[in-house]
Amino acid sequence: MTDGSVPTITLNNGIDIPQIGYGVFQTPPDETEQAVLEAFEVGYRHVDTAQAYQNEEGVGAAVAASGLPREDVFLTTKVWISNAGDERAARSIDGSLRRLGTDYIDLLLVHQPFGDYYGTYRAMEKALADGKVRAIGVSNFFPDRFVDLARHVEVPPAVNQMETHVFNQQADTRTWYAKFGTALESWGPLAQGRNNIFTHPVLSAVGEKYGKSAAQVALRYLIQLDIIVIPKSVHRERMITNLDVTDFRLDDADMQAIAALDEGRGFVDLYDPAFQEMLAAHTIEED
């Protein structure tokens, strides 16, 4: 699945996912193909997109132009809130397949825990049974909604993608996901640049021991916790350094020092009604 240097995580249904992926959140649609092609050139084989990003076509075009065998690329996309429900989600999955130019999606997620996400999940289970998808899961599901869903579906989520970084390590929530064999995947693994993560004194000091940057240390920390990470950058050099985190290992003292950075909360509050209203108001063209 990768060039051999990127570790993989085996999901609860037995398929392997590269532990380091390339994210295209907020990458303009007209720049996505080139960005993903560069990501492929430097070694990424896992790309994370979503219906709401409106750049699935660019991802698909990059896969086609790369010349890589389809089985060597791991594609993730997500069903948006406005496509929620059994029938609309089913149509949107077919739309994602068409835009990505592929016969199957490696990982399909419910993007947000709002709207008729039970109907969406049923449509995803059917897509899984029909061979359109290899694994299904969720995104942004805190333990309350996650457990409620996981207890009432046929196929337990393979992945939960959450805001996860050194300042929000999901220490209290990981246990709940693990009960269902659900892997934790980090969006925003570099905290979207907040809290001076790129120059943070603790991360920088640890990095000096290994000749690595603060950002590389932050990514390595999550990897050693068996968390899947999907950093994003449209800059080639940053793509390379984000991937270059497999040739060193943090020791116990390093891990303890970084664990102490955890603030126990993220920068995005999904429980904020105003934020929920904003998400619900964002609609995409129905397939």
Side-chain angles (χ1 to χ4, degrees), residues 11 18 22 31 50 90 97 107-108 111 113 157-158 175-176 194 198 209 223 252 263 270 279:
L11 301 179
Y22 179 69
E31 297 177 18
L97 287 165
L107 177 63
L108 182 64
H111 202 155
T175 303
W176 289 105
R194 293 181 173 94
F198 299 119
K209 296 169 53 177
I223 287 169
D252 289 345
E263 298 175 357
L270 287 170
L279 292 179

Side-chain angles (χ1 to χ4, degrees), residues 187-200:
W187 66 258
L190 295 175
Q192 298 180 325
R194 293 181 173 94
N195 284 12
N196 298 313
I197 190 170
F198 299 119
T199 57
H200 195 283

Side-chain angles (χ1 to χ4, degrees), residues 96-272:
S96 287
L97 287 165
R98 183 180 67 255
R99 287 185 291 274
L100 290 166
T102 184
D103 294 330
Y104 66 92
I105 294 162
D106 294 283
L107 177 63
L108 182 64
L109 306 178
V110 180
H111 202 155
Q112 299 285 355
F114 308 122
D116 181 14
Y117 56 82
Y118 272 95
T120 299
Y121 203 86
R122 285 191 296 269
M124 288 166 44
E125 288 179 318
K126 186 176 187 307
L128 181 68
D130 290 344
K132 296 178 179 180
V133 179
R134 297 179 66 220
I136 60 177
V138 296
S139 176
N140 296 310
F141 275 62
F142 281 91
D144 53 350
R145 296 201 177 191
F146 173 83
V147 172
D148 181 51
L149 180 78
R151 286 286 186 190
H152 297 96
V153 294
E154 296 294 326
V155 180
V159 164
N160 188 9
Q161 188 179 117
M162 297 285 292
E163 179 189 350
T164 310
H165 42 74
V166 296
F167 308 118
N168 183 34
Q169 300 178 21
Q170 302 291 347
D172 294 332
T173 67
R174 294 198 304 262
T175 303
W176 289 105
Y177 311 143
K179 285 184 68 171
F180 296 88
T182 302
L184 177 60
E185 184 172 42
S186 161
W187 66 258
L190 295 175
Q192 298 180 325
R194 293 181 173 94
N195 284 12
N196 298 313
I197 190 170
F198 299 119
T199 57
H200 195 283
V202 171
L203 300 173
S204 297
V206 171
E208 287 180 8
K209 296 169 53 177
Y210 305 101
K212 298 293 183 178
S213 68
Q216 288 172 309
V217 169
L219 292 172
R220 181 68 204 181
Y221 177 77
L222 298 179
I223 287 169
Q224 286 184 214
L225 293 177
D226 292 328
I227 296 169
I228 303 157
V229 297
I230 45 171
K232 64 177 291 290
S233 177
V234 296
H235 303 292
R236 188 183 183 93
E237 187 57 39
R238 185 68 61 81
M239 291 180 193
I240 294 170
T241 57
N242 286 345
L243 199 60
D244 184 24
V245 292
T246 62
D247 61 348
F248 72 108
R249 185 169 184 83
L250 303 174
D251 61 29
D252 289 345
D254 300 330
M255 295 294 284
Q256 291 172 10
I258 300 169
L261 301 180
D262 190 10
E263 298 175 357
R265 64 183 183 278
F267 299 114
V268 175
D269 182 7
L270 287 170
Y271 286 108
D272 177 4

Side-chain angles (χ1 to χ4, degrees), residues 59-101:
V59 172
V63 174
S66 72
L68 292 167
R70 174 64 184 86
E71 62 271 18
D72 287 354
V73 178
F74 193 101
L75 293 179
T76 298
T77 193
K78 312 174 193 76
V79 179
W80 186 242
I81 301 167
S82 61
N83 284 329
D86 298 70
E87 294 182 0
R88 292 185 68 165
R91 289 195 299 272
S92 79
I93 293 167
D94 288 339
S96 287
L97 287 165
R98 183 180 67 255
R99 287 185 291 274
L100 290 166

